[in-house]
Structure formats: structure tokens, C-alpha cells
Amino acid sequence: MSYPLWEVPYLGGGLLIAIVAIVHVFISQFAVGGGLFLALATRKAYQNRDTQWLDYLRHHSRFFVLASVLFGAVTGVGIWFTIGLIHAGATSSLIRIFVWGWAIEWCFFLIETSAILLYYYGWDRVDARFHQLLAWVYCGASFLTLAVINGIVSFMLTPGAWLENGSFWSGVFNPGYLPQLVMRTGASLALAGIYGLVTATWRAHPNLKERLVHWCSKFVLTAFALFPVGAIWLLCVVSPLSRELALGAAAPVAIMNGMTMILSVIILGAAYFGPFRRPAQTSVTFAMVMLALALLTTGGAEWVREGIRKPFIIYDYMYSNGVYADQQKDPKGIMATAVWSVYGAVDKAPTQVAAGEDVFRLQCAECHTVQGYNGVTPLVKGWTQAFASDQIDRLNMLKGYMPPFMGTPAERDALAAYLVQLNAKEAEIYAAAQR
Amino acid sequence: MPLPSAEPIGLPAPAWLLQALLVLTFSLHLIPMTLTVGGTLMALYSEVAARLSADGSGYRQLAQRLWRLLPTITAFTITLGVAPLLFIQLVYGKFFYPASVLTAWSWLGVVPLLLVGYGMLYAQSMGNQAARWRPWAGLAAALSFLGVLAIYVSTMSLTTQPGVWRDMYAASQGGTHWHFELPRALHVLCGAVAMAGGLAAVIGHGAPEAKFGRLARRFGLAWAAAGVILQIPAGLWFYNTLPSRDGLLLPLVIAAGGLGLVGLLAFLLAGVKERRPSMAWMGLFGLTLGAVALAVQRHLVRQAALSPNITAADWKLSPQWDVFGIFAVLLVLTIGLIGYLFVRFLRAPAQAERKRTDAHQMRVG
């Protein structure tokens, strides 16, 4: 609660992060898997002196540069900006723990950017050997960016021994590191194959298309050998609460989990019965549908990963609303201790509801909007003030994926008054109808 | 003053080291950043001048050369911008985060603006050279980058003024605030114009065609001169708005101005002696050093403004020397590898040409 909250109307901070993150993950994982795709394809083309392959790769590399260096890099910056705005406290903690990890990733980022730009501008300029070297340098550097960033992302869900020893290495190589690396590598290969299908059906020479489509489908099929292994492994190492949330304790998370699995099976089946078995019949429309399904799957998987981390932003260390897990209730209350409280105390606010709004901002608004995504208004419909106060008091006990309320009784009652009045208009209409 | 409390986790290295890395990586970012902003403005001007003048071939050629270079320069602007963004959050997070939240919508606006500006550069680089949309795409790129510049000025200047935060937040929690400072923006813009002039002069000296080379050199010299000369009033105006003007600040400002003028002089000499490309490179180098001096000056200003609000607890230490050591070694290897790849890339046409010549001589023999 050291940092100000940015009120994002209707969307809420969580959904804003999700939108930016899903787009970035979708592109950046393609950029990682696409590195291996590009290196293998370049080697194959030069070894066979296949001009049609080379011609295809020339077009594909233009698309690849736009996707990775333009969209990948800029949406990566977007992630930085967004998490700093929505979860400044958690971002600050992560940077203090992992700054050298990010600095190491930045070195690989510099290498991959240089290598892919030289590869792209190297057509007709550099010899085959150097061109292949550039592709392999890109492939290696891009995978290493994933290997590093995976340590930080997986840490947020399974910080493991870091909670006791505070060691950088325990944080990076946390219990979820390898399962998530296996999953993300699988996703990267699948996306490389699917993007490859799009460019192959769109730009490849007709004589080449069939071979190329079949080749791309192998990336998708290989990926699906890795993906379920990583997913099951991850479920084994997360906390019992996370596992329960994924498997049914929280309906939205479980539904999204199921949807992601169903979509994955559909992609696998489509890749096998389409491009792998009947490559000649694969069209650009088919490839685009596969791409759309892959986007939905990526979004679903990321959403589930975020969902099973509740009520924490960094598991067992910091709650989603910026409160530390070991933080004790301050008898002065959250309005007096939070730096960015508008009023500083319930009795200094013009009304109890205004004080409640301030408490809502400090305790709830990092996850909940008023009206919109995860909106609180429909959630408290029909609540009376006494019922609301009781719920707030025992929030973390009633619902496992909610953090505890850190305020005083006066702040709790102010928050309850604020929540109840959100549906006041509807309640009045209902009462009038009853009369 | 609503200052965030100290983080419970200590800094992973002493503050002086992190500050040095912040200034170093910001200086590295500053070079391609000014070339991106100034280069885009220059390419747009050349594109329009090529269409309006009777013999626009020189301008057209300059625009094409710039549009081809700019996507790569912008890629390095973004890539090299990541590190200072990381270090500023680490060292000055308690000031940076509140300022960015107060200006959240505009701060987040950097992302779509970068996408548009950078995307338009690729459109220019890859698109049809005769297309009618080119000036409009150039205009969109230039406006996007100017927008990014204005946003950075707004948010970063607010970072050093925590005294105004509480009233701003009480007025609105929606992240809609704007804290633009014209002198600071003009100061950066003049630097960008001068650097773009240096780039054009270097392009002119490397050009095999005499007519185009002359135009690019003169045009570059004019832009560099305009940038450096306009920097004098803009820089002085900015200097007078600074909250603290103690210590090394004035010598650094004088050094930056001096280096800018030395750079300009080198361009003049390079212009007089047409066969002296090394002078053009020296000119660009002088301007770059001037920009680096300004980056150091900017850090001192920020440090002076914020130091009264920094406590010992903010910079308590939990060092990670082993990981830092890996990063330091990796950074050296990275610079070596990238240098090797670029040198080999730049030599490639010469090697290809030599191979062709050898093959021809063998056939003749």
C-alpha cells in the first residue's frame, strides 16, 4: 500500500495486464520457437540448395522480423509499463530480487535483436554459412531469454525455498521452473509451426507448399508431446490451494482450464488430420483459424496461471492488493498507514461512504472494478450493511482466494456502507415494488 | 509528501554501482533515441522536399537511405531503453512509480505510439518507393515519436517533484495527469536535430555519388548547426528551470555545449574538405559526447532534487555479487559477439566482390 492505485474504469488493472500480457506471450513465444524453425529451415534450404525454400524463407523472415522485433519488443515494453502501473509494489519487489536476471536477459535480447536484423538484411549480402550462423545465434539467444524470464514468471506462482533463504538462485530455479519451461517450450514450438503454416499457405511456391506444410505440422505435433507433461508436472508442484482452484474449487478458473485443454486437443487433432495427413488441402484460412485457436489457448493458459495464484501476486509473500503475507494489522488502520489514502482516517472523510470508497481503493480496487471486469457491484447485490461487515471481517476464511481485510472496525463498516450503497438504486426500486 | 515507504528487500548492489549503470545504459539509449527522433523528422522533410522540388532526386535518395536505416536504429533505441528503465525502477522506484501512476494513461500511451511510429518506419523501409502514402506514413511516424518524447518529458519531470503529487492524486485517481515542460522537450529536440544532421553528414561522406554526397553533407551540416545553435537558448531556458544548479552542473553544461560546438566545427571542416569523412565521424562523435555529458548532468539534477527524500533504508544492501559477476562477463561477451557479427556483416559485400574478382581472374588466366 505504498504506491498509488490507478483506477482503470470497467477494465480494471487485472484485465489490462491480461490483454497486454497475452498478446506479448503469443508473439514472444512464437519468436522463441520461430528461432528454431528459422535455423532448421535455413540449414535445410542451403544444404539442399533449394531456391524455393530460400525464397519462402526470405518472405517468412520479413514477417518474422515484424512479429518479433516490432510487435514482440514493443509489447514487451508494454508489459513493463503495465505491471509497474497496476502492481507497483510487486514490480518493485521483483526488480530488487531479479534485477541481474533481467540484466542477463537483456544481454540475450540484444544478441537476438542484432542477429535477426542481420539475418533479414543479409539476404543477397552474406554467404550461406554466415547466414546460417546468424539464424542459430538468434535461435540460441531467444531460447535463453525464455529460460531466464521463465524463472521470474514461475517464481511468482511457486517461490519455493526463496521464502526462507532469499537467494536469487532459489528464486529462479523454483519448483515450478522446469514444468513451466517444458510447457512454454512446447507452446513456442506449436506457435512456430502454426505461424509457419500461415506463411507457407500464403506465400510459398505451389511446388513447395505441400512439403512445407507437412514440415510445419511436425512442430505442432512435437509441441503436444511436451505441453501435457509440463502441465501435469506443474499441477504436482503448485500449492494445494492452487491445485484445487485449477481443478474445480473456483468455477471460472476450472472452466477456463477445461476450455484450454479442449482447445489444445482440437489444435492437435486439426494439425494431425489436416497439415500432417493432408498437407495439399491445407489452406490459408485453415491456418488462420489454427492461429486464432492458438491465441485463445495461450490466453486461457495464462489466465489459469494467474487465476491459481490467487490470492497472491507473489505466492505466500505478497497479496494481490500489495499487502505482505506476514504483515500484521496496524491498530491505527489502513487509512492512517497507507501513504496514498485520500482522507487519512474515517472521521476525516466527509461521509462514511466517502471513507469506504477510500478503503475500497486501498484494499480492493487492485483486483475489482466497481462496474466492469470482476466488478464488485453485482457481487454484493442484496447485501445488508451487517452482512457486508461480517463478510469483510472473514473474507480470507470464507473465500480462499481473497486476501484478509487489514482495516479497523470503523474502516470495515465504512467499506460495508460503500459496498451496500452501490446497489442502493436497485434496492429502492425493489422495495418500492414490494410496497 | 506521500512518499512510499522503504522496500523490505535490499538493493542487489550498492547504489553508486546501480546509478553508474543507469547513466551508462541511458547514454547508450540516448544515441539511437536522438537519431530516431531527429532522423525521422529529417527523412520526412526530405521525402516532402523530394516531391515539391523540381529536381528532388538528392532528397529522395537521402529519404530512402534514412528510411532504410531507421528501423534498425529504432530497434536499438527500444532494446537499449529496457536497461535504464530497469535501473531507474530499482534505484528511484519510490519516485518513479507514483509519477507514472499519476500520468498512467499517457505513460501507457507510449506503447501504441511506439507501435505506430516503429511500424510506419518498417512500412517506409519495406514499402513501394513511389507510393503516395509515404509522406503520410512518415508524418505518422514523426508525430508518434514526438508524442513519445512529450510523454517521457511529462512523466520523468514529475518523478523529481514529489511535492505536487498529493494534490494531483486527490484531484483524480484516474491517471489522467500531465506534467509537460516545454524547455526540457525543446532541449531534447534540439539534440535530436543536431544528431540527425550528423548522421546525414556521415551518410554524405560515405556516398559514392558526388552530387548526392554533397547534398547530404550540406543538408546534414545545416541541421547540425541548427540543432546546436538552437540548443543554446533552449538549453539555457531549461537550465534556468532546474531546481538545483550546484556543483558539477554548470561545468557539465559548458562541456556539453563545447562538445556540441566542436562537433559542429568538425562538420564544417568535413564540409570544406570534401574528401575527409573521418571529420564527419568526429563531428558525430563530438555531438554524441555532448549528449552523454547531458545525460550525466540530467542524473545529477535528479539526484540533487531527490536526495532529501532518500533514506538509508531505501538503499540498504542485499548484494548478489555472484549474479552480478555473471552479468558483467556476459555483457562483455555480448558486446564482443555483436561486434563480431556486425563487422562480418559489413565486410560481406567486399568479400563477395573479391571472390567474384578472383573467379574472373582465374577464368581470364
Side-chain angles (χ1 to χ4, degrees):
Chain A
M1 289 184 289
S2 273
Y3 298 97
L5 176 107
W6 175 29
E7 283 182 13
V8 187
Y10 302 106
L11 284 179
L15 190 59
L16 190 64
I17 289 184
I19 292 167
V20 181
I22 288 166
V23 172
H24 175 66
V25 168
F26 187 62
I27 295 166
S28 61
Q29 288 189 346
F30 155 63
V32 173
L36 183 65
F37 181 95
L38 198 67
L40 290 174
T42 306
R43 192 180 67 166
K44 195 177 171 77
Y46 279 121
Q47 273 180 351
N48 299 336
R49 295 171 189 238
D50 191 329
T51 51
Q52 287 176 352
W53 266 88
L54 287 170
D55 193 43
Y56 160 73
L57 276 176
R58 186 189 291 262
H59 288 297
H60 180 78
S61 65
R62 172 184 284 203
F63 170 75
F64 192 70
V65 162
L66 287 177
S68 62
V69 181
L70 170 59
F71 288 102
V74 177
T75 54
V77 172
I79 288 279
W80 269 107
F81 278 44
T82 317
I83 61 168
L85 290 171
I86 305 296
H87 289 299
T91 309
S92 180
S93 295
L94 287 172
I95 286 182
R96 283 182 175 237
I97 303 165
F98 293 117
V99 70
W100 300 129
W102 262 304
I104 287 168
E105 193 221 356
W106 176 65
C107 290
F108 296 132
F109 184 37
L110 277 172
I111 295 171
E112 71 167 339
T113 303
S114 305
I116 194 61
L117 286 171
L118 293 179
Y119 177 93
Y120 173 69
Y121 289 110
W123 289 107
D124 303 325
R125 182 179 176 119
V126 302
D127 59 58
R129 220 179 139 99
F130 185 48
H131 215 197
Q132 287 182 72
L133 174 71
L134 288 168
W136 282 109
V137 168
Y138 174 81
C139 172
S142 63
F143 181 76
L144 288 169
T145 61
L146 174 69
V148 176
I149 202 70
N150 179 63
I152 301 167
V153 175
S154 58
F155 165 85
M156 294 170 74
L157 179 60
T158 49
W162 176 87
L163 292 167
E164 281 87 45
N165 62 25
S167 153
F168 171 89
W169 299 110
S170 299
V172 170
F173 297 111
N174 61 78
Y177 178 81
L178 281 176
Q180 287 214 36
L181 188 63
V182 170
M183 279 178 77
R184 289 181 188 281
T185 305
S188 301
L189 290 175
L191 287 171
I194 293 170
Y195 275 94
L197 283 177
V198 173
T199 52
T201 50
W202 186 16
R203 294 304 295 258
H205 192 277
N207 296 342
L208 175 69
K209 190 187 135 187
E210 196 171 327
R211 274 186 296 149
L212 201 51
V213 164
H214 187 258
W215 197 72
C216 292
S217 70
K218 290 181 190 168
F219 276 80
V220 186
L221 297 178
T222 309
F224 280 93
L226 294 173
F227 202 75
V229 173
I232 293 166
W233 191 359
L234 183 63
L235 274 182
C236 295
V237 299
V238 295
S239 73
L241 175 61
S242 296
R243 201 161 34 245
E244 283 169 22
L245 290 175
L247 299 177
V253 181
I255 290 168
M256 191 63 89
N257 199 14
M259 188 200 84
T260 307
M261 284 193 270
I262 291 166
L263 281 173
S264 302
V265 172
I266 290 172
I267 293 173
L268 176 67
Y272 179 74
F273 291 107
F276 187 73
R277 294 285 298 270
R278 296 181 189 82
Q281 290 164 25
T282 304
S283 65
V284 68
T285 311
F286 180 89
M288 293 299 279
V289 171
M290 293 268 284
L291 195 65
L293 291 176
L295 176 63
L296 286 175
T297 313
T298 306
E302 293 299 316
W303 198 88
V304 170
R305 186 180 56 78
E306 291 282 321
I308 63 174
R309 206 175 55 211
K310 299 283 176 213
F312 298 99
I313 182 83
I314 300 173
Y315 216 93
D316 281 338
Y317 177 73
M318 184 185 278
Y319 288 107
S320 303
N321 57 2
V323 172
Y324 291 101
D326 60 358
Q327 195 171 320
Q328 300 297 315
K329 273 192 187 185
D330 192 312
K332 288 186 288 213
I334 48 175
M335 291 174 80
T337 52
V339 178
W340 292 89
S341 166
V342 172
Y343 302 112
V346 173
D347 53 11
K348 287 183 189 162
T351 60
Q352 190 188 31
V353 168
E357 188 179 9
D358 202 17
V359 175
F360 178 80
R361 201 177 295 123
L362 295 169
Q363 277 272 278
C364 321
E366 207 138 348
C367 300
H368 291 284
T369 59
V370 177
Q371 289 271 16
Y373 177 72
N374 206 13
V376 78
T377 306
L379 293 176
V380 299
K381 201 169 181 179
W383 286 21
T384 62
Q385 172 121 6
F387 182 75
S389 289
D390 185 55
Q391 289 279 311
I392 294 164
D393 245 350
R394 296 183 289 145
L395 212 52
N396 55 324
M397 287 177 274
L398 293 169
K399 296 175 178 177
Y401 48 88
M402 292 288 280
F405 181 68
M406 301 297 284
T408 60
E411 287 169 340
R412 177 202 60 201
D413 293 341
L415 177 60
Y418 171 71
L419 292 176
V420 168
Q421 62 81 41
L422 291 174
N423 289 298
K425 207 169 180 182
E426 281 188 27
E428 277 170 25
I429 295 166
Y430 178 75
Q434 291 294 305
R435 282 196 296 273
Chain B
M1 206 177 286
L3 285 168
S5 44
E7 288 287 336
I9 302 168
L11 288 177
W16 63 265
L17 177 60
L18 299 170
Q19 286 172 321
L21 284 168
L22 171 60
V23 174
L24 174 72
T25 54
F26 177 71
S27 302
L28 289 174
H29 165 67
L30 193 63
I31 299 163
M33 184 272 279
T34 47
L35 288 173
T36 297
V37 176
T40 305
L41 290 172
M42 180 183 270
L44 174 64
Y45 180 93
S46 306
E47 184 81 44
V48 175
R51 283 161 199 257
L52 296 181
S53 58
D55 178 20
S57 62
Y59 281 118
R60 188 167 299 115
Q61 211 171 338
L62 180 62
Q64 284 172 4
R65 294 287 296 272
L66 287 167
W67 291 133
R68 252 203 325 268
L69 273 175
L70 281 166
T72 303
I73 295 173
T74 309
F76 282 98
T77 303
I78 294 171
T79 313
L80 292 170
V82 171
L85 187 64
L86 188 66
F87 290 121
I88 197 173
Q89 290 182 70
L90 184 60
V91 188
Y92 299 109
K94 70 188 274 188
F95 307 101
F96 170 80
Y97 293 120
S100 59
V101 170
L102 287 166
T103 57
W105 280 113
S106 59
W107 184 238
L108 198 61
V110 166
V111 178
L113 284 174
L114 269 184
L115 270 178
V116 171
Y118 193 14
M120 289 299 114
L121 292 185
Y122 273 111
Q124 293 280 13
S125 162
M126 295 173 172
N128 179 0
Q129 296 297 330
R132 291 178 66 180
W133 51 260
R134 292 186 73 88
W136 297 107
L139 182 66
L143 289 176
S144 300
F145 292 138
L146 289 175
V148 172
L149 191 157
I151 292 168
Y152 262 83
V153 166
S154 164
T155 300
M156 290 301 168
S157 61
L158 190 57
T159 300
T160 56
Q161 295 174 43
V164 302
W165 293 348
R166 183 171 291 287
D167 287 345
M168 284 177 128
Y169 193 66
S172 166
Q173 298 88 41
T176 51
H177 298 284
W178 181 247
H179 199 262
F180 182 67
E181 289 180 351
L182 185 61
R184 186 171 181 160
L186 287 176
H187 166 63
V188 180
L189 196 58
C190 288
V193 167
M195 289 290 281
L199 179 66
V202 168
I203 289 173
H205 275 284
E209 312 89 334
K211 190 180 164 196
F212 166 66
R214 200 160 42 248
L215 178 131
R217 279 196 304 276
R218 288 182 180 170
F219 190 61
L221 177 64
W223 275 59
V228 172
I229 292 166
L230 289 173
Q231 185 68 279
I232 296 168
L236 284 174
W237 186 14
F238 176 52
Y239 180 74
N240 275 308
T241 62
L242 296 177
S244 162
R245 279 167 274 172
D246 305 332
L248 275 173
L249 198 58
L250 188 61
L252 272 166
V253 170
I254 293 168
L259 286 163
L261 289 172
V262 168
L264 194 57
L265 189 66
F267 287 129
L268 273 168
L269 287 171
V272 174
K273 302 269 184 191
E274 292 198 353
R275 298 254 168 232
R276 297 196 50 189
S278 58
M279 292 303 285
W281 278 105
M282 273 184 64
L284 191 56
F285 187 62
L287 290 179
T288 305
L289 281 183
V292 171
L294 289 172
V296 177
Q297 167 247 332
R298 181 185 123 122
H299 169 71
L300 292 175
V301 170
R302 177 171 50 209
Q303 181 59 24
L306 298 181
S307 56
N309 298 312
I310 296 171
T311 64
D314 288 321
W315 284 356
K316 80 171 178 190
L317 198 56
S318 304
Q320 299 172 356
W321 290 116
D322 51 345
V323 201
F324 170 72
I326 293 172
F327 162 64
V329 171
L330 190 65
L331 184 61
V332 173
L333 292 175
T334 299
I335 293 167
L337 177 62
I338 291 174
Y340 166 75
L341 294 178
F342 268 90
V343 167
R344 203 168 155 185
F345 179 86
L346 292 170
R347 282 184 183 164
Q351 283 171 350
E353 182 59 34
R354 200 164 49 243
K355 271 186 192 167
R356 272 197 293 275
T357 312
D358 291 348
H360 176 70
Q361 280 173 351
M362 278 173 70
R363 277 200 300 274
V364 171

